[in-house]
């Protein structure tokens, strides 16, 4: 009988949730699923009743009317020519259940703080689970899937589109703002191709947490208002290794001014010479003009007003602003150690936001060649390559805007603005991270480059090293640096960590065979296209050999020497900065304040997300909610709210709980084994 209690509890909870929402539960003999009943009864929202929809995008851009046919025909995979959206309906989930809400994100929509009493809070969560799962539609919502194309890993893929996401509509707030709502994971659309349009709990938790983490870090991003899980499951082969398993379906509520992207303008692309793919709306320049009018008029009204009588100059000003925003956003990524993982053109926002959190990751040990996406075998989207990749993507946007923006003019704008804006914003952020608050100096770029080189040489933790530098002792009389060097080298990679990081990835016999092939038949070896991988593997073997000859004491001594050299340069630069201030005490206080406001203590490391995912998959959502609160205050000082939350975390002896540690410490060794695809 004990095994039946969870099922009975879920049933009683569903009935109570429906009654709290003013819905009549289905008869006891009804065989229809709770999810289907929830959608069919059209419950009246209470908490969400004040959301006022005004779906401008569907009025301004062409919408495909689904072809006639049986139920579900609207979601059949197909080309969608001559349209930017296709009307769809979410597919209900079985017994949706709220994982977490982001109160700061929902506040954008004018939704108030959570109630104090349990009954009201329970009703609010039940309503969120029902409407933010797609099982019921809010009054005024008009679900639709957006049609777009994209260059994926450098190759034009043709029509892509919202294969797992749905536009719900645009909410207008009392503050005069307009926010697009989107559900991700609500079932098939015409753009799902051979997929099921579902997202699983692990990826949904990662997107939910990272969207909010990035916002609170100060990085331009889409937001996540809710994460809902369910009893519905799908089969996923997580690592593409032939070991599929069933996973629970989940949905994320995403919020942004718009989810239009570079790929939105690529639906007009003619047949690509390399891939043979073409956009579904080739030759429809009238739609391209409509889209430009809508995007610029809605999201860049100052540009529209300044160039109302000259469309070419208007479009040039638009492209210039997108270029600058993109450069600034990428600079923000680099300064917090964020790796996107899938920087295809269909994942680039036309308003400069970070969108589509898939196999993302934050740097732990500083490695400019770090690749966070295990599927990116060639390292196209490595951390250090992100600025150049985004510039390449802007080139593709420029090509997609022609003839409304002559390509020669767009390329000149890109050449003139992107690199300069990236360098300017990156150095501005890095100076603040280093506490250089007076006038900029020419040598600052070299100082930053030397710092990153030292971090790479010592395997230093990116986030913790910057955070620690705020306590670097400064003054006219240099104090003893021994204690500071001890703290700093504690953030460097241990011998065990380095051996794990540089362990060979190929069987020695396979490597030997590939090297023999390179010597005997270089033409065939070049065709295989693995030269870069072989070079990296040889570097790993060489590095592993050096590490075998190194003792922990020698590593520590070497690391202290590297850091002592750089700190000498840093101290000299800080002294120069201090001399530029009229009040040394005020300068010191401001330096520390700026550094603490620029160097986060908490980021969403992979192992932190994994702990939350493991707990949630076992039905415990408290860790997701605790981590969310922690990430809402990433720049917390010691003794503030986030620190108190961390101190209050429960002790455990097994599973995720047993592996917990302070989330501001270096990641544990097992974190290096985590793989995200």
């Amino acid at each position: 009988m004990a095994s039946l209690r969870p099922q009975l509890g879920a049933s009683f909870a569903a009935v109570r949730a429906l009654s709290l929402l003013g819905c009549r539960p289905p008869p006891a003999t009804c065989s229809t699923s709770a999810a289907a009943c929830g959608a069919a009864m059209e419950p009246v929202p209470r908490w969400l009743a004040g959301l006022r929809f005004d779906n401008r995008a569907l009025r301004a851009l062409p919408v495909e009317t689904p072809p006639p046919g049986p139920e579900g025909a609207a979601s059949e995979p197909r080309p969608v020519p001559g349209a930017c959206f296709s009307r769809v309906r979410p597919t209900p989930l079985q017994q949706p259940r709220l994982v977490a809400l982001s109160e700061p994100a929902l506040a954008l929509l004018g939704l108030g703080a959570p109630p104090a009493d349990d009954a009201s809070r329970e009703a609010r969560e039940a309503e969120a689970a029902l409407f933010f799962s797609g099982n019921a539609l809010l009054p005024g919502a008009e679900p639709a899937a957006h049609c777009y194309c994209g260059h994926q890993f450098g190759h034009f893929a043709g029509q892509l589109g919202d294969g797992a996401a749905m536009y719900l509509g645009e909410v207008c707030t009392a503050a005069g703002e307009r926010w697009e709502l989107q559900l991700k994971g609500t079932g098939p659309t015409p753009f799902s191709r051979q997929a099921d349009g579902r997202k699983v709990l692990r990826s949904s938790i990662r997107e939910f947490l990272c969207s909010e983490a990035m916002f609170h870090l100060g990085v331009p991003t889409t937001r996540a208002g809710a994460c809902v899980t369910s009893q519905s499951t799908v089969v996923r082969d997580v690592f593409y290794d032939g070991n599929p398993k069933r996973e629970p379906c989940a949905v994320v509520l995403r919020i942004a001014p718009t989810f239009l992207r570079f790929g939105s303008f690529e639906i007009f692309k003619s047949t690509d010479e390399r891939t043979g793919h073409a956009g579904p709306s080739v030759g429809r320049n009238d739609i391209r003009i409509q889209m430009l009018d809508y995007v610029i008029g809605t999201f860049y009204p100052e540009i529209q007003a300044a160039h109302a009588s000259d469309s070419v100059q208007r479009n040039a000003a638009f492209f210039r602003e997108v270029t600058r925003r993109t450069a600034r956003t990428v600079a923000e990524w680099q300064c917090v150690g964020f790796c996107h993982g899938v920087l295809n053109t269909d994942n680039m926002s036309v308003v400069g936001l970070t969108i589509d959190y898939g196999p993302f990751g934050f740097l732990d040990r500083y490695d400019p060649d770090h690749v966070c996406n295990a599927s990116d075998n060639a390292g196209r989207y490595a951390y250090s390559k992100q600025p150049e990749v985004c510039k390449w993507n802007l080139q593709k946007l420029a090509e997609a805007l022609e003839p409304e923006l002559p390509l020669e003019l767009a390329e000149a704008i890109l050449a003139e603005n992107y690199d300069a804006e990236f360098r300017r914003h990156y150095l501005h952020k890095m100076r603040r991270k280093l506490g250089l608050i007076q006038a900029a100096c020419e040598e600052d770029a070299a100082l930053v480059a030397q710092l990153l080189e030292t971090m790479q040489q010592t395997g230093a933790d990116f986030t913790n090293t910057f955070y620690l530098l705020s306590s670097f002792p400064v003054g006219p009389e240099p104090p003893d640096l021994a204690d500071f060097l001890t703290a700093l080298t504690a953030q460097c990679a241990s011998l065990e960590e380095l051996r794990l990081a540089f362990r060979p990835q190929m069987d020695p016999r396979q490597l030997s065979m590939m090297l023999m092939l390179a010597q005997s038949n270089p033409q065939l070896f070049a065709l295989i296209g693995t030269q870069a991988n072989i070079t990296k593997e040889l570097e790993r073997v060489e590095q592993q050999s050096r590490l075998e000859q190194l003792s922990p004491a020698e590593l520590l001594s070497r690391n202290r020497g590297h850091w002592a050299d750089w700190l000498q340069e840093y101290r000299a630069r800080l002294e120069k900065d201090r001399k530029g201030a009229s009040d040394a005490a005020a300068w010191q206080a401001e330096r520390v304040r700026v550094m603490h406001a620029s160097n986060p203590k908490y980021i969403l490391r992979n192992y932190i997300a994994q702990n939350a995912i493991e707990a949630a998959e076992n039905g415990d959502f408290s860790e997701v909610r605790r981590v969310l609160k922690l990430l809402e205050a990433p720049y917390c000082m010691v003794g503030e709210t986030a620190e108190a939350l961390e101190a209050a975390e429960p002790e455990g002896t097994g599973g995720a709980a047993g592996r917990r540690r302070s989330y501001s410490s270096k990641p544990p060794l097992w974190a290096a084994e985590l793989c995200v695809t």
Side-chain angles (χ1 to χ4, degrees):
M1 187 67 182
S3 64
L4 294 177
R5 287 176 184 169
Q7 297 176 24
L8 291 171
S11 299
F12 291 147
V15 171
R16 173 154 176 75
L18 289 170
S19 66
L20 287 168
L21 290 173
C23 306
R24 191 183 317 168
T29 57
C30 180
S31 61
T32 307
S33 70
C37 287
M41 286 187 293
E42 298 181 354
V44 178
R46 294 183 178 182
W47 170 50
L48 303 174
L51 295 180
R52 184 169 65 86
F53 282 87
D54 178 37
N55 308 326
R56 182 186 297 174
L58 299 188
R59 296 196 305 272
L61 300 172
V63 181
E64 181 213 45
T65 300
E71 185 178 351
S75 299
E76 287 295 319
R78 62 183 182 276
V80 179
C84 297
F85 289 93
S86 180
R87 296 191 185 277
V88 289
R89 295 282 295 190
T91 305
L93 290 167
Q94 295 178 15
Q95 299 182 30
R97 181 184 175 194
L98 182 71
V99 175
L101 295 173
S102 169
E103 301 297 342
L106 294 175
L108 296 172
L109 309 178
L111 297 173
D117 64 290
D118 291 343
S120 298
R121 191 161 53 247
E122 182 183 344
R124 188 173 185 259
E125 292 198 358
E127 191 172 334
L130 188 62
F131 288 99
F132 295 155
S133 65
N135 277 28
L137 289 179
L138 291 164
E142 296 182 77
H146 176 44
C147 180
Y148 54 82
C149 292
H151 281 78
Q152 299 189 318
F153 291 90
H155 303 285
F156 186 65
Q159 178 178 290
L160 297 170
D162 284 336
M166 290 184 192
Y167 164 102
L168 284 185
E170 299 153 55
V171 169
C172 296
T173 69
E177 296 175 331
R178 175 183 292 268
W179 296 99
E180 179 179 323
L181 303 190
Q182 188 185 80
L183 294 180
K184 185 171 182 179
T186 45
T189 76
F191 312 108
S192 298
R193 290 168 282 179
Q194 302 307 312
D196 51 35
R198 292 299 191 191
K199 292 297 175 182
V200 295
L201 183 58
R202 59 181 163 81
S203 62
S204 298
I205 287 174
R206 283 173 56 83
E207 171 146 10
F208 174 73
L209 290 175
C210 198
S211 299
E212 293 305 281
M214 291 285 273
F215 169 76
H216 292 288
L217 286 170
V219 181
T221 180
T222 58
R223 304 293 300 277
C227 180
V228 177
T229 188
S230 70
Q231 294 297 312
S232 299
T233 61
V234 288
V235 175
R236 291 288 186 267
D237 187 351
V238 183
F239 302 115
Y240 308 107
D241 59 0
N243 294 296
K245 67 173 185 176
R246 286 206 164 271
E247 297 190 61
C249 297
V251 175
V252 175
L253 170 70
R254 307 203 296 183
I255 305 169
T258 180
F259 286 91
L260 294 182
R261 52 204 67 210
F262 291 9
S264 302
F265 286 95
E266 291 190 289
I267 63 173
F268 316 106
K269 180 174 170 55
S270 57
T271 303
D272 185 81
E273 292 181 358
R274 296 178 64 188
T275 66
H277 295 300
S281 296
V282 176
R284 293 298 303 273
N285 196 50
D286 56 322
I287 300 178
R288 180 172 15 226
I289 294 171
Q290 275 183 271
M291 197 181 299
L292 279 166
D293 289 346
Y294 169 70
V295 170
I296 299 173
T298 304
F299 308 110
Y300 297 92
E302 68 288 349
I303 291 176
Q304 178 66 41
H307 303 283
S309 60
D310 189 331
S311 64
V312 171
Q313 289 306 310
R314 181 200 68 167
N315 297 340
F318 159 68
F319 183 69
R320 183 179 297 108
E321 182 59 21
V322 173
T323 296
R324 290 173 175 170
R325 288 193 189 189
T326 302
R328 291 194 293 269
T329 296
V330 182
E332 294 279 354
W333 295 349
Q334 303 304 102
C335 288
V336 295
F338 174 76
C339 305
H340 186 283
V342 197
L343 282 176
N344 301 325
T345 57
D346 54 292
N347 292 334
M348 300 288 296
S349 164
V350 296
V351 291
L353 302 176
T354 312
I355 60 174
D356 289 352
Y357 292 92
F360 66 84
F362 284 87
L363 291 177
D364 293 323
R365 175 180 59 86
Y366 177 71
D367 175 10
D369 296 325
H370 175 69
V371 177
C372 64
N373 179 1
S375 304
D376 184 6
N377 298 318
R380 176 179 175 84
Y381 298 140
Y383 167 77
S384 62
K385 294 180 181 178
Q386 292 184 138
E388 194 60 33
V389 164
C390 289
K391 184 179 181 181
W392 188 92
N393 289 341
L394 282 162
Q395 170 70 30
K396 296 305 165 186
L397 175 61
E399 294 168 11
L401 296 178
E402 200 176 30
E404 294 310 302
L405 177 62
L407 184 58
E408 184 178 339
L409 175 55
E411 289 178 336
I413 291 170
L414 183 58
E416 180 183 350
N417 289 272
Y418 183 82
D419 292 334
E421 187 68 13
F422 174 81
R423 284 194 299 267
R424 184 198 66 77
H425 195 73
Y426 178 77
L427 269 179
H428 168 73
K429 296 288 293 187
M430 279 295 184
R431 286 187 182 106
R432 292 180 65 83
K433 289 174 76 69
L434 292 176
L436 305 176
I437 57 177
Q438 297 297 311
C441 293
E442 287 185 8
E443 66 263 28
D444 290 348
L447 182 70
V448 171
Q450 291 162 8
L451 167 61
L452 296 178
E453 182 181 359
T454 304
M455 292 174 72
Q456 184 178 8
Q457 289 172 329
T458 61
D461 185 271
F462 185 85
T463 299
N464 291 357
T465 298
F466 274 108
Y467 186 82
L468 191 58
L469 287 175
S470 62
S471 60
F472 179 62
V474 295
E477 295 296 327
D480 183 10
L481 291 181
D483 289 345
F484 185 78
L485 273 173
T486 298
L488 197 55
T489 51
Q491 295 304 324
C492 297
S494 67
L495 206 52
E496 190 176 10
E497 289 174 76
L498 290 174
R499 286 171 179 165
L500 188 61
F502 290 102
R503 68 189 186 281
Q505 304 294 304
M506 294 176 63
D507 183 280
R509 290 170 297 180
Q510 182 186 4
L511 178 60
S512 178
M513 289 175 61
M514 295 301 291
L515 291 174
M516 290 173 60
L517 177 62
Q519 290 181 340
S520 62
N521 195 338
Q523 291 84 5
L524 178 59
F525 180 73
L527 285 174
I528 295 174
T530 59
Q531 185 168 350
N533 292 342
I534 297 299
T535 301
K536 286 183 180 179
E537 188 66 11
L538 290 173
E539 290 172 355
R540 287 193 195 98
V541 171
E542 184 180 350
Q543 181 73 0
Q544 191 74 219
S545 177
R546 287 198 295 265
L547 290 171
E548 291 297 331
Q549 308 302 316
L550 197 64
S551 71
E554 290 170 331
L555 178 65
L556 177 61
S557 175
R558 189 180 71 178
N559 288 346
R560 289 179 73 93
H562 285 312
W563 278 111
D565 290 343
W566 183 80
L567 289 173
Q568 187 174 358
E569 299 293 327
Y570 182 43
R571 177 183 293 285
R573 178 62 183 89
L574 284 174
E575 187 61 21
K576 186 175 181 179
D577 205 66
R578 185 183 66 83
K579 288 180 178 178
S582 57
D583 185 330
W587 170 83
Q588 169 66 357
E590 178 64 5
R591 179 184 78 90
V592 173
R593 186 197 69 78
V594 167
M595 291 186 75
H596 276 297
S598 305
N599 294 306
K601 187 171 186 178
Y602 303 104
I603 56 169
L604 184 61
R605 300 180 190 263
N606 273 342
Y607 85 96
I608 297 176
Q610 187 62 26
N611 280 343
I613 289 165
E614 288 183 12
E617 288 179 335
N618 289 318
D620 177 8
F621 306 143
S622 63
E623 184 68 3
V624 174
R625 299 178 185 191
R626 195 187 74 84
V627 170
L628 178 64
K629 287 298 180 186
L630 201 68
L631 297 172
E632 287 175 2
Y635 298 103
C636 257
M637 297 288 289
V638 175
E640 293 187 1
T641 305
E643 200 67 22
L645 279 168
E646 212 170 82
E649 68 181 70
E651 295 294 330
T653 56
R659 300 189 302 187
R660 279 199 197 109
R661 57 171 58 199
S662 169
Y663 281 165
S664 62
S665 64
K666 281 178 59 183
L669 271 178
W670 63 263
E673 303 293 338
L674 292 174
C675 178
V676 184
T677 59

